[in-house]
Amino acid sequence: MDKSKRPFLKSKRSFRRRLPPIQSGDRISYRNMSLISRFISEQGKILSRRVNRLTLKQQRLITMAIKQARILSLLPFLNNEKQFERTELTERTTGLRTRIKRVYS
């Protein structure tokens, strides 16, 4: 069969199958911080199932473990250092008046 006559067939490319992120022996628990920290972004958000490549059941268990660890203060709710930096004062001129505006970075 000529290639021009089969426009919708995909070419067969080989690909390397990725390893699952959670091995069969891993226990999903709020105490297993090395496992839990892999599924949290730099900002402290829980990564989606599509990004993690987890099954639905695994994602639910990971989410519950992360929330338990947050409640027990093992993990921060937010991982945003900018929130706690010092505040800066900037001056803004509007006409003849000068206002001081606080900037939170």
Side-chain angles (χ1 to χ4, degrees), residues 74-91:
L74 299 173
L75 281 176
F77 279 91
L78 290 175
N79 194 14
N80 193 357
E81 292 86 19
K82 291 182 181 179
Q83 183 180 7
F84 301 109
E85 287 181 359
R86 62 181 174 82
T87 59
E88 298 176 5
L89 292 176
T90 58
E91 291 186 16

Side-chain angles (χ1 to χ4, degrees), residues 11-102:
S11 64
K12 293 192 177 189
R13 285 184 280 158
S14 64
F15 63 95
R16 197 184 84 171
R17 188 172 193 141
R18 291 183 176 172
L19 294 173
I22 296 179
Q23 305 300 325
S24 61
D26 288 341
R27 295 275 304 157
I28 299 174
S29 173
Y30 66 92
R31 287 179 259 148
N32 193 350
M33 296 304 295
S34 61
L35 178 71
I36 288 177
S37 60
R38 288 190 285 176
F39 303 107
I40 297 177
S41 69
E42 291 179 5
Q43 298 171 347
K45 296 179 181 179
I46 300 173
L47 294 175
S48 69
R49 187 178 148 224
R50 194 173 67 191
V51 173
N52 289 336
R53 301 186 318 270
L54 294 174
T55 63
L56 184 62
K57 187 174 184 180
Q58 288 173 335
Q59 181 70 22
R60 268 197 236 114
L61 290 172
I62 285 288
T63 302
M64 288 186 341
I66 289 171
K67 288 179 181 181
Q68 285 176 346
R70 284 176 176 169
I71 289 169
L72 294 172
S73 301
L74 299 173
L75 281 176
F77 279 91
L78 290 175
N79 194 14
N80 193 357
E81 292 86 19
K82 291 182 181 179
Q83 183 180 7
F84 301 109
E85 287 181 359
R86 62 181 174 82
T87 59
E88 298 176 5
L89 292 176
T90 58
E91 291 186 16
R92 220 172 85 184
T93 57
T94 55
L96 299 173
R97 296 183 307 180
T98 303
R99 275 200 231 166
I100 296 179
K101 179 186 171 191
R102 283 191 179 245

